[in-house]
Structure formats: C-alpha cells, structure tokens
Amino acid sequence: MEMRRKDLAVTDPKALDEMIQRCSCFRLAFADGSHPYIVPLSFGYAHEGEERTFYFHSAGAGRKVDLCRKLGWAGFELDNGGRVKPNEKACDFSVAYESIIGEGEIQELTDLKDKAAALQVIMAHYSGRGDWEMPESVLKRTCVFRLTVKEISGRTHG
C-alpha cells in the first residue's frame, strides 16, 4: 500500500499494534458489485510472529455474512482521535488522528473450540479478560470470522 505522506507513516510493528489496541471500532469494507458496503464491528486482534489477525462475530444471516462467505476478502479501517485543531485561517485547520487501513482474507470459523477462542480474543480487547464462559448454545448460533491481514498501513498526525 503506497502512502503519499511518508512522514505520517507508522512502520514500527509494536507502535502499530498499540494503535490497534486503542481502537474500539473495526470497519469492514466490501466491494459488492458496483456498490461499496462498509460495516462497523466489535473486534479482537492478535499478532503472532508475522501474522496479524482480526476476529469479529455476527448473527447467522445478513449482508455482511453473505459477503464474507461469497468474497472471502475485505478491506478494513480503524481510527483514533479525530480531534480538530483550529487555526486563524480556514485552510490551516487540521485534525489530530491515528488510522490503520488494510485488507485481508476472511475465513468463517466453524469448529466450536476455534469460535470460543476467537470470542475470547474479542472479549479480552474490551474487558481485559480472556476467561469468559462461552455456552455451547451461543457458539452454535454465532458466526465468527477471522481476517488474516495481507496488507496493513498505519498513519498518525499530531
């Protein structure tokens, strides 16, 4: 992914992971024929070795689920900040932010153990705990997906 403003790029893997951990919303974007589709989601994130993975869940039906299954690929976006920095001149206003964009391969998790492990990652992101009870009845009716990152870039502007 080529970035025009290289001075704003975040290239350190640890800094990128820290930015992601500060985010509360993961936006998944699909190219659905001639119309784009984007949806905000709760998420979990793991970075092991060279592999970065996002996890998200869904009810068993709907446009997002259909596109995940049909396309197996999506773009994503996360961001922090968005604090406006006013100035005396209109054209000199700015915004302080952190943002991450990328794309990756999507797989649906069907094994109950895999689904439970992914949901623990999601819960840990928001609660700091990864030891939640996951009833089998909930696991059976919940769709859980893994997005394996193939491209990622971060950007920060203070």
Side-chain angles (χ1 to χ4, degrees):
M1 301 177 99
E2 188 63 31
M3 185 180 298
R4 184 181 59 83
R5 292 279 312 270
K6 294 190 184 336
D7 59 311
L8 301 179
V10 176
T11 57
D12 176 60
K14 185 177 180 200
L16 195 57
D17 288 350
E18 290 169 356
M19 286 171 56
I20 291 168
Q21 293 300 340
R22 287 191 290 271
C23 294
S24 61
C25 181
F26 176 79
R27 291 171 189 86
L28 196 59
F30 297 96
D32 185 15
S34 62
H35 300 283
Y37 177 70
I38 188 166
V39 60
L41 302 165
S42 300
F43 73 99
Y45 173 72
H47 184 182
E48 297 175 13
E50 295 296 313
E51 188 168 273
R52 288 185 160 96
T53 307
F54 288 96
Y55 297 98
F56 56 95
H57 63 89
S58 177
R63 188 174 182 188
K64 169 183 58 198
V65 171
D66 292 345
L67 289 170
C68 284
R69 290 174 177 160
K70 175 182 160 187
L71 300 175
W73 194 270
F76 61 86
E77 186 274 345
L78 305 96
D79 60 78
N80 287 308
R83 182 180 52 84
V84 175
K85 295 167 56 177
N87 198 291
E88 293 299 315
K89 297 179 184 175
C91 294
D92 289 338
F93 267 60
S94 184
V95 176
Y97 66 88
E98 294 178 324
S99 67
I100 300 101
I101 62 169
E103 58 187 80
E105 181 179 5
I106 297 175
Q107 293 177 296
E108 184 172 2
L109 303 179
T110 55
D111 180 81
L112 295 185
K113 286 183 181 182
D114 292 343
K115 289 169 81 167
L119 290 170
Q120 293 292 356
V121 174
I122 294 168
M123 291 303 300
H125 180 76
Y126 294 99
S127 71
R129 281 183 45 204
D131 60 351
W132 296 90
E133 184 178 328
M134 301 286 171
E136 187 174 319
S137 61
V138 173
L139 293 172
K140 286 181 176 179
R141 71 174 179 258
T142 304
C143 285
V144 180
F145 295 92
R146 171 179 53 222
L147 183 144
T148 304
V149 175
K150 300 300 182 184
E151 296 277 342
I152 192 166
S153 65
R155 199 175 159 131
T156 188
H157 188 270

